[in-house]
mmCIF file of all heavy atoms in Angstrom:
data_model
loop_
_atom_site.group_PDB
_atom_site.id
_atom_site.type_symbol
_atom_site.label_atom_id
_atom_site.label_comp_id
_atom_site.label_asym_id
_atom_site.label_seq_id
_atom_site.Cartn_x
_atom_site.Cartn_y
_atom_site.Cartn_z
ATOM 1 N N HIS A 1 60.154 99.776 175.491
ATOM 2 C CA HIS A 1 60.616 99.331 174.185
ATOM 3 C C HIS A 1 60.704 100.519 173.235
ATOM 4 O O HIS A 1 60.000 101.529 173.416
ATOM 5 C CB HIS A 1 59.667 98.275 173.605
ATOM 6 C CG HIS A 1 58.275 98.809 173.373
ATOM 7 N ND1 HIS A 1 57.304 98.790 174.355
ATOM 8 C CD2 HIS A 1 57.697 99.398 172.291
ATOM 9 C CE1 HIS A 1 56.184 99.334 173.880
ATOM 10 N NE2 HIS A 1 56.407 99.713 172.636
ATOM 11 N N ILE A 2 61.549 100.408 172.229
ATOM 12 C CA ILE A 2 61.645 101.380 171.136
ATOM 13 C C ILE A 2 61.886 100.587 169.857
ATOM 14 O O ILE A 2 62.709 99.661 169.836
ATOM 15 C CB ILE A 2 62.784 102.398 171.366
ATOM 16 C CG1 ILE A 2 62.565 103.176 172.661
ATOM 17 C CG2 ILE A 2 62.881 103.369 170.184
ATOM 18 C CD1 ILE A 2 63.709 104.116 173.016
ATOM 19 N N ALA A 3 61.197 100.921 168.786
ATOM 20 C CA ALA A 3 61.287 100.171 167.529
ATOM 21 C C ALA A 3 62.693 100.262 166.934
ATOM 22 O O ALA A 3 63.327 101.320 166.966
ATOM 23 C CB ALA A 3 60.269 100.702 166.527
ATOM 24 N N PRO A 4 63.200 99.167 166.363
ATOM 25 C CA PRO A 4 64.565 99.164 165.829
ATOM 26 C C PRO A 4 64.777 100.078 164.629
ATOM 27 O O PRO A 4 65.920 100.414 164.317
ATOM 28 C CB PRO A 4 64.793 97.699 165.446
ATOM 29 C CG PRO A 4 63.430 97.117 165.288
ATOM 30 C CD PRO A 4 62.559 97.839 166.267
ATOM 31 N N LYS A 5 63.717 100.512 163.957
ATOM 32 C CA LYS A 5 63.925 101.402 162.815
ATOM 33 C C LYS A 5 64.580 102.719 163.232
ATOM 34 O O LYS A 5 65.214 103.389 162.413
ATOM 35 C CB LYS A 5 62.606 101.671 162.086
ATOM 36 C CG LYS A 5 61.583 102.477 162.869
ATOM 37 C CD LYS A 5 60.300 102.635 162.059
ATOM 38 C CE LYS A 5 59.234 103.415 162.806
ATOM 39 N NZ LYS A 5 57.990 103.533 161.998
ATOM 40 N N PHE A 6 64.479 103.065 164.520
ATOM 41 C CA PHE A 6 65.071 104.316 164.977
ATOM 42 C C PHE A 6 66.572 104.196 165.242
ATOM 43 O O PHE A 6 67.221 105.182 165.580
ATOM 44 C CB PHE A 6 64.330 104.820 166.221
ATOM 45 C CG PHE A 6 62.904 105.174 165.940
ATOM 46 C CD1 PHE A 6 61.865 104.441 166.501
ATOM 47 C CD2 PHE A 6 62.579 106.222 165.096
ATOM 48 C CE1 PHE A 6 60.541 104.756 166.232
ATOM 49 C CE2 PHE A 6 61.260 106.542 164.815
ATOM 50 C CZ PHE A 6 60.236 105.811 165.389
ATOM 51 N N PHE A 7 67.144 103.014 165.069
ATOM 52 C CA PHE A 7 68.595 102.867 165.105
ATOM 53 C C PHE A 7 69.275 103.659 163.992
ATOM 54 O O PHE A 7 70.417 104.083 164.125
ATOM 55 C CB PHE A 7 68.983 101.392 164.890
ATOM 56 C CG PHE A 7 68.831 100.492 166.071
ATOM 57 C CD1 PHE A 7 68.278 99.229 165.904
ATOM 58 C CD2 PHE A 7 69.270 100.854 167.334
ATOM 59 C CE1 PHE A 7 68.161 98.352 166.981
ATOM 60 C CE2 PHE A 7 69.152 99.991 168.412
ATOM 61 C CZ PHE A 7 68.596 98.742 168.231
ATOM 62 N N TYR A 8 68.563 103.842 162.877
ATOM 63 C CA TYR A 8 69.236 104.179 161.633
ATOM 64 C C TYR A 8 69.280 105.674 161.332
ATOM 65 O O TYR A 8 68.764 106.144 160.318
ATOM 66 C CB TYR A 8 68.615 103.391 160.468
ATOM 67 C CG TYR A 8 68.805 101.913 160.652
ATOM 68 C CD1 TYR A 8 67.794 101.126 161.205
ATOM 69 C CD2 TYR A 8 70.013 101.319 160.340
ATOM 70 C CE1 TYR A 8 67.989 99.769 161.410
ATOM 71 C CE2 TYR A 8 70.207 99.956 160.543
ATOM 72 C CZ TYR A 8 69.194 99.188 161.079
ATOM 73 O OH TYR A 8 69.386 97.845 161.296
ATOM 74 N N ASP A 9 69.950 106.427 162.232
ATOM 75 C CA ASP A 9 70.407 107.741 161.828
ATOM 76 C C ASP A 9 71.705 107.515 161.055
ATOM 77 O O ASP A 9 72.104 106.381 160.777
ATOM 78 C CB ASP A 9 70.595 108.665 163.033
ATOM 79 C CG ASP A 9 71.644 108.174 164.011
ATOM 80 O OD1 ASP A 9 72.162 107.038 163.854
ATOM 81 O OD2 ASP A 9 71.972 108.926 164.953
ATOM 82 N N ALA A 10 72.401 108.584 160.668
ATOM 83 C CA ALA A 10 73.602 108.408 159.849
ATOM 84 C C ALA A 10 74.655 107.581 160.578
ATOM 85 O O ALA A 10 75.263 106.665 160.002
ATOM 86 C CB ALA A 10 74.167 109.766 159.452
ATOM 87 N N ARG A 11 74.888 107.871 161.881
ATOM 88 C CA ARG A 11 75.901 107.115 162.616
ATOM 89 C C ARG A 11 75.455 105.671 162.825
ATOM 90 O O ARG A 11 76.271 104.744 162.697
ATOM 91 C CB ARG A 11 76.193 107.765 163.968
ATOM 92 C CG ARG A 11 77.304 107.048 164.739
ATOM 93 C CD ARG A 11 77.773 107.813 165.966
ATOM 94 N NE ARG A 11 78.900 107.134 166.582
ATOM 95 C CZ ARG A 11 78.820 106.235 167.559
ATOM 96 N NH1 ARG A 11 77.618 105.928 168.059
ATOM 97 N NH2 ARG A 11 79.894 105.655 168.053
ATOM 98 N N GLY A 12 74.192 105.461 163.130
ATOM 99 C CA GLY A 12 73.700 104.106 163.304
ATOM 100 C C GLY A 12 73.861 103.274 162.038
ATOM 101 O O GLY A 12 74.232 102.099 162.098
ATOM 102 N N SER A 13 73.603 103.891 160.890
ATOM 103 C CA SER A 13 73.760 103.181 159.620
ATOM 104 C C SER A 13 75.220 102.796 159.395
ATOM 105 O O SER A 13 75.524 101.693 158.925
ATOM 106 C CB SER A 13 73.250 104.047 158.469
ATOM 107 O OG SER A 13 71.857 104.270 158.590
ATOM 108 N N ARG A 14 76.135 103.711 159.725
ATOM 109 C CA ARG A 14 77.561 103.384 159.571
ATOM 110 C C ARG A 14 77.986 102.274 160.523
ATOM 111 O O ARG A 14 78.752 101.381 160.144
ATOM 112 C CB ARG A 14 78.410 104.639 159.794
ATOM 113 C CG ARG A 14 78.294 105.680 158.683
ATOM 114 C CD ARG A 14 79.355 106.746 158.819
ATOM 115 N NE ARG A 14 79.201 107.535 160.028
ATOM 116 C CZ ARG A 14 78.493 108.660 160.113
ATOM 117 N NH1 ARG A 14 77.867 109.124 159.040
ATOM 118 N NH2 ARG A 14 78.418 109.321 161.249
ATOM 119 N N LEU A 15 77.483 102.326 161.747
ATOM 120 C CA LEU A 15 77.819 101.274 162.703
ATOM 121 C C LEU A 15 77.284 99.912 162.241
ATOM 122 O O LEU A 15 77.946 98.883 162.425
ATOM 123 C CB LEU A 15 77.256 101.611 164.085
ATOM 124 C CG LEU A 15 78.057 102.632 164.895
ATOM 125 C CD1 LEU A 15 77.244 103.103 166.100
ATOM 126 C CD2 LEU A 15 79.389 102.030 165.348
ATOM 127 N N PHE A 16 76.099 99.912 161.652
ATOM 128 C CA PHE A 16 75.565 98.639 161.171
ATOM 129 C C PHE A 16 76.456 98.054 160.080
ATOM 130 O O PHE A 16 76.669 96.837 160.019
ATOM 131 C CB PHE A 16 74.140 98.797 160.660
ATOM 132 C CG PHE A 16 73.530 97.495 160.222
ATOM 133 C CD1 PHE A 16 73.198 96.523 161.154
ATOM 134 C CD2 PHE A 16 73.324 97.219 158.884
ATOM 135 C CE1 PHE A 16 72.668 95.298 160.755
ATOM 136 C CE2 PHE A 16 72.798 96.002 158.477
ATOM 137 C CZ PHE A 16 72.470 95.046 159.422
ATOM 138 N N GLU A 17 76.996 98.900 159.218
ATOM 139 C CA GLU A 17 77.916 98.408 158.196
ATOM 140 C C GLU A 17 79.159 97.804 158.839
ATOM 141 O O GLU A 17 79.692 96.802 158.351
ATOM 142 C CB GLU A 17 78.303 99.534 157.234
ATOM 143 C CG GLU A 17 77.133 100.112 156.439
ATOM 144 C CD GLU A 17 76.335 99.063 155.681
ATOM 145 O OE1 GLU A 17 76.940 98.086 155.203
ATOM 146 O OE2 GLU A 17 75.104 99.203 155.580
ATOM 147 N N ARG A 18 79.618 98.370 159.961
ATOM 148 C CA ARG A 18 80.766 97.803 160.672
ATOM 149 C C ARG A 18 80.400 96.445 161.273
ATOM 150 O O ARG A 18 81.209 95.516 161.256
ATOM 151 C CB ARG A 18 81.240 98.758 161.785
ATOM 152 C CG ARG A 18 81.696 100.121 161.302
ATOM 153 C CD ARG A 18 82.952 100.050 160.446
ATOM 154 N NE ARG A 18 84.107 99.537 161.149
ATOM 155 C CZ ARG A 18 84.945 100.279 161.889
ATOM 156 N NH1 ARG A 18 84.711 101.587 162.057
ATOM 157 N NH2 ARG A 18 86.005 99.732 162.451
ATOM 158 N N ILE A 19 79.193 96.334 161.817
ATOM 159 C CA ILE A 19 78.729 95.042 162.340
ATOM 160 C C ILE A 19 78.798 93.973 161.250
ATOM 161 O O ILE A 19 79.251 92.849 161.476
ATOM 162 C CB ILE A 19 77.294 95.154 162.879
ATOM 163 C CG1 ILE A 19 77.244 96.036 164.126
ATOM 164 C CG2 ILE A 19 76.702 93.776 163.185
ATOM 165 C CD1 ILE A 19 75.847 96.431 164.553
ATOM 166 N N CYS A 20 78.330 94.345 160.060
ATOM 167 C CA CYS A 20 78.275 93.389 158.948
ATOM 168 C C CYS A 20 79.661 92.910 158.516
ATOM 169 O O CYS A 20 79.780 91.889 157.829
ATOM 170 C CB CYS A 20 77.542 94.007 157.762
ATOM 171 S SG CYS A 20 75.782 94.274 158.055
ATOM 172 N N SER A 21 80.710 93.634 158.899
ATOM 173 C CA SER A 21 82.074 93.258 158.516
ATOM 174 C C SER A 21 82.754 92.377 159.559
ATOM 175 O O SER A 21 83.869 91.889 159.328
ATOM 176 C CB SER A 21 82.919 94.516 158.283
ATOM 177 O OG SER A 21 83.177 95.183 159.512
ATOM 178 N N THR A 22 82.105 92.152 160.712
ATOM 179 C CA THR A 22 82.740 91.355 161.759
ATOM 180 C C THR A 22 82.672 89.868 161.421
ATOM 181 O O THR A 22 81.785 89.417 160.691
ATOM 182 C CB THR A 22 82.058 91.589 163.123
ATOM 183 O OG1 THR A 22 80.697 91.151 163.064
ATOM 184 C CG2 THR A 22 82.111 93.064 163.515
ATOM 185 N N LYS A 23 83.611 89.101 161.978
ATOM 186 C CA LYS A 23 83.643 87.662 161.737
ATOM 187 C C LYS A 23 82.433 86.970 162.357
ATOM 188 O O LYS A 23 81.934 85.980 161.830
ATOM 189 C CB LYS A 23 84.927 87.073 162.311
ATOM 190 C CG LYS A 23 86.192 87.499 161.570
ATOM 191 C CD LYS A 23 87.422 86.856 162.188
ATOM 192 C CE LYS A 23 88.690 87.273 161.456
ATOM 193 N NZ LYS A 23 89.902 86.669 162.060
ATOM 194 N N GLU A 24 81.982 87.480 163.498
ATOM 195 C CA GLU A 24 80.888 86.826 164.208
ATOM 196 C C GLU A 24 79.547 86.968 163.497
ATOM 197 O O GLU A 24 78.686 86.090 163.602
ATOM 198 C CB GLU A 24 80.737 87.399 165.627
ATOM 199 C CG GLU A 24 81.953 87.201 166.509
ATOM 200 C CD GLU A 24 82.866 88.413 166.534
ATOM 201 O OE1 GLU A 24 82.897 89.154 165.519
ATOM 202 O OE2 GLU A 24 83.526 88.626 167.557
ATOM 203 N N TYR A 25 79.375 88.082 162.763
ATOM 204 C CA TYR A 25 78.063 88.348 162.167
ATOM 205 C C TYR A 25 77.965 87.602 160.832
ATOM 206 O O TYR A 25 78.205 88.150 159.759
ATOM 207 C CB TYR A 25 77.843 89.847 161.990
ATOM 208 C CG TYR A 25 76.396 90.201 161.711
ATOM 209 C CD1 TYR A 25 75.437 90.129 162.716
ATOM 210 C CD2 TYR A 25 75.989 90.580 160.435
ATOM 211 C CE1 TYR A 25 74.114 90.424 162.463
ATOM 212 C CE2 TYR A 25 74.659 90.892 160.175
ATOM 213 C CZ TYR A 25 73.730 90.808 161.186
ATOM 214 O OH TYR A 25 72.408 91.108 160.934
ATOM 215 N N TYR A 26 77.597 86.328 160.927
ATOM 216 C CA TYR A 26 77.557 85.438 159.772
ATOM 217 C C TYR A 26 76.533 85.815 158.698
ATOM 218 O O TYR A 26 76.724 85.458 157.520
ATOM 219 C CB TYR A 26 77.269 83.999 160.238
ATOM 220 C CG TYR A 26 75.902 83.879 160.849
ATOM 221 C CD1 TYR A 26 74.780 83.626 160.071
ATOM 222 C CD2 TYR A 26 75.716 84.085 162.210
ATOM 223 C CE1 TYR A 26 73.518 83.575 160.635
ATOM 224 C CE2 TYR A 26 74.460 84.037 162.774
ATOM 225 C CZ TYR A 26 73.384 83.790 161.988
ATOM 226 O OH TYR A 26 72.129 83.771 162.538
ATOM 227 N N PRO A 27 75.382 86.495 159.018
ATOM 228 C CA PRO A 27 74.374 86.680 157.965
ATOM 229 C C PRO A 27 74.907 87.382 156.718
ATOM 230 O O PRO A 27 74.568 86.978 155.596
ATOM 231 C CB PRO A 27 73.288 87.524 158.663
ATOM 232 C CG PRO A 27 73.401 87.139 160.096
ATOM 233 C CD PRO A 27 74.877 86.964 160.326
ATOM 234 N N THR A 28 75.733 88.405 156.885
ATOM 235 C CA THR A 28 76.183 89.162 155.712
ATOM 236 C C THR A 28 77.089 88.327 154.823
ATOM 237 O O THR A 28 76.854 88.209 153.612
ATOM 238 C CB THR A 28 76.909 90.439 156.160
ATOM 239 O OG1 THR A 28 76.003 91.253 156.894
ATOM 240 C CG2 THR A 28 77.410 91.218 154.947
ATOM 241 N N ILE A 29 78.124 87.740 155.401
ATOM 242 C CA ILE A 29 79.058 86.967 154.583
ATOM 243 C C ILE A 29 78.390 85.729 153.986
ATOM 244 O O ILE A 29 78.646 85.348 152.843
ATOM 245 C CB ILE A 29 80.320 86.594 155.399
ATOM 246 C CG1 ILE A 29 81.376 85.999 154.469
ATOM 247 C CG2 ILE A 29 79.975 85.639 156.543
ATOM 248 C CD1 ILE A 29 82.723 85.808 155.148
ATOM 249 N N THR A 30 77.471 85.124 154.746
ATOM 250 C CA THR A 30 76.799 83.917 154.260
ATOM 251 C C THR A 30 75.827 84.242 153.137
ATOM 252 O O THR A 30 75.795 83.564 152.099
ATOM 253 C CB THR A 30 76.068 83.208 155.407
ATOM 254 O OG1 THR A 30 76.992 82.965 156.473
ATOM 255 C CG2 THR A 30 75.474 81.887 154.950
ATOM 256 N N GLU A 31 75.030 85.286 153.323
ATOM 257 C CA GLU A 31 74.082 85.659 152.269
ATOM 258 C C GLU A 31 74.819 86.086 151.011
ATOM 259 O O GLU A 31 74.413 85.734 149.890
ATOM 260 C CB GLU A 31 73.167 86.779 152.757
ATOM 261 C CG GLU A 31 72.103 87.157 151.723
ATOM 262 C CD GLU A 31 71.176 88.248 152.216
ATOM 263 O OE1 GLU A 31 71.672 89.152 152.929
ATOM 264 O OE2 GLU A 31 69.976 88.197 151.903
ATOM 265 N N THR A 32 75.903 86.843 151.163
ATOM 266 C CA THR A 32 76.683 87.267 149.998
ATOM 267 C C THR A 32 77.242 86.060 149.256
ATOM 268 O O THR A 32 77.242 86.018 148.015
ATOM 269 C CB THR A 32 77.819 88.203 150.432
ATOM 270 O OG1 THR A 32 77.261 89.342 151.094
ATOM 271 C CG2 THR A 32 78.628 88.676 149.231
ATOM 272 N N ALA A 33 77.710 85.051 150.008
ATOM 273 C CA ALA A 33 78.240 83.842 149.376
ATOM 274 C C ALA A 33 77.140 83.086 148.623
ATOM 275 O O ALA A 33 77.371 82.565 147.520
ATOM 276 C CB ALA A 33 78.880 82.941 150.428
ATOM 277 N N ILE A 34 75.949 83.021 149.202
ATOM 278 C CA ILE A 34 74.825 82.357 148.529
ATOM 279 C C ILE A 34 74.495 83.084 147.222
ATOM 280 O O ILE A 34 74.340 82.453 146.164
ATOM 281 C CB ILE A 34 73.587 82.310 149.445
ATOM 282 C CG1 ILE A 34 73.844 81.417 150.655
ATOM 283 C CG2 ILE A 34 72.356 81.822 148.676
ATOM 284 C CD1 ILE A 34 72.780 81.535 151.730
ATOM 285 N N LEU A 35 74.390 84.399 147.298
ATOM 286 C CA LEU A 35 74.075 85.173 146.092
ATOM 287 C C LEU A 35 75.162 84.997 145.035
ATOM 288 O O LEU A 35 74.870 84.821 143.840
ATOM 289 C CB LEU A 35 73.908 86.649 146.449
ATOM 290 C CG LEU A 35 72.664 87.009 147.267
ATOM 291 C CD1 LEU A 35 72.747 88.449 147.755
ATOM 292 C CD2 LEU A 35 71.392 86.810 146.446
ATOM 293 N N SER A 36 76.421 85.044 145.450
ATOM 294 C CA SER A 36 77.524 84.901 144.496
ATOM 295 C C SER A 36 77.509 83.539 143.830
ATOM 296 O O SER A 36 77.734 83.415 142.614
ATOM 297 C CB SER A 36 78.859 85.113 145.211
ATOM 298 O OG SER A 36 78.964 86.420 145.746
ATOM 299 N N ALA A 37 77.226 82.497 144.606
ATOM 300 C CA ALA A 37 77.257 81.129 144.066
ATOM 301 C C ALA A 37 76.104 80.851 143.110
ATOM 302 O O ALA A 37 76.239 80.043 142.181
ATOM 303 C CB ALA A 37 77.241 80.123 145.215
ATOM 304 N N HIS A 38 74.971 81.498 143.327
ATOM 305 C CA HIS A 38 73.757 81.147 142.572
ATOM 306 C C HIS A 38 73.217 82.299 141.725
ATOM 307 O O HIS A 38 72.086 82.199 141.232
ATOM 308 C CB HIS A 38 72.673 80.678 143.551
ATOM 309 C CG HIS A 38 73.075 79.485 144.358
ATOM 310 N ND1 HIS A 38 73.118 78.207 143.837
ATOM 311 C CD2 HIS A 38 73.463 79.367 145.658
ATOM 312 C CE1 HIS A 38 73.514 77.358 144.777
ATOM 313 N NE2 HIS A 38 73.727 78.036 145.887
ATOM 314 N N ILE A 39 73.989 83.359 141.561
ATOM 315 C CA ILE A 39 73.442 84.559 140.928
ATOM 316 C C ILE A 39 73.001 84.310 139.485
ATOM 317 O O ILE A 39 72.014 84.895 139.029
ATOM 318 C CB ILE A 39 74.453 85.729 141.006
ATOM 319 C CG1 ILE A 39 73.752 87.054 140.715
ATOM 320 C CG2 ILE A 39 75.644 85.489 140.091
ATOM 321 C CD1 ILE A 39 72.697 87.431 141.711
ATOM 322 N N THR A 40 73.686 83.438 138.771
ATOM 323 C CA THR A 40 73.284 83.160 137.386
ATOM 324 C C THR A 40 71.914 82.486 137.357
ATOM 325 O O THR A 40 71.033 82.863 136.543
ATOM 326 C CB THR A 40 74.327 82.269 136.690
ATOM 327 O OG1 THR A 40 75.595 82.941 136.690
ATOM 328 C CG2 THR A 40 73.910 81.981 135.251
ATOM 329 N N ALA A 41 71.703 81.514 138.223
ATOM 330 C CA ALA A 41 70.404 80.838 138.279
ATOM 331 C C ALA A 41 69.315 81.792 138.752
ATOM 332 O O ALA A 41 68.180 81.764 138.251
ATOM 333 C CB ALA A 41 70.490 79.633 139.210
#
C-alpha cells in the first residue's frame, strides 16, 4: 500500500482537476450545485 496523499505532485494535482471535470465523477458537479443553491443560507 501507499498513502493517497503522495498522488499530489504537480502533475497528479493537474490530473485530479481533469478527473473532476469528467461526467462520471459526480462529487464535484454535485457538491458545486449544492453550494450554489444554498450559499446564501
Side-chain angles (χ1 to χ4, degrees):
H1 62 272
I2 300 175
K5 67 182 179 181
F6 296 114
F7 282 137
Y8 297 97
D9 62 353
R11 183 170 185 268
S13 295
R14 290 192 295 269
L15 281 168
F16 183 70
E17 297 306 325
R18 299 294 297 274
I19 293 168
C20 292
S21 70
T22 63
K23 292 181 180 179
E24 298 96 331
Y25 194 73
Y26 65 87
T28 298
I29 190 171
T30 306
E31 183 179 37
T32 301
I34 294 169
L35 290 170
S36 298
H38 300 285
I39 196 64
T40 300

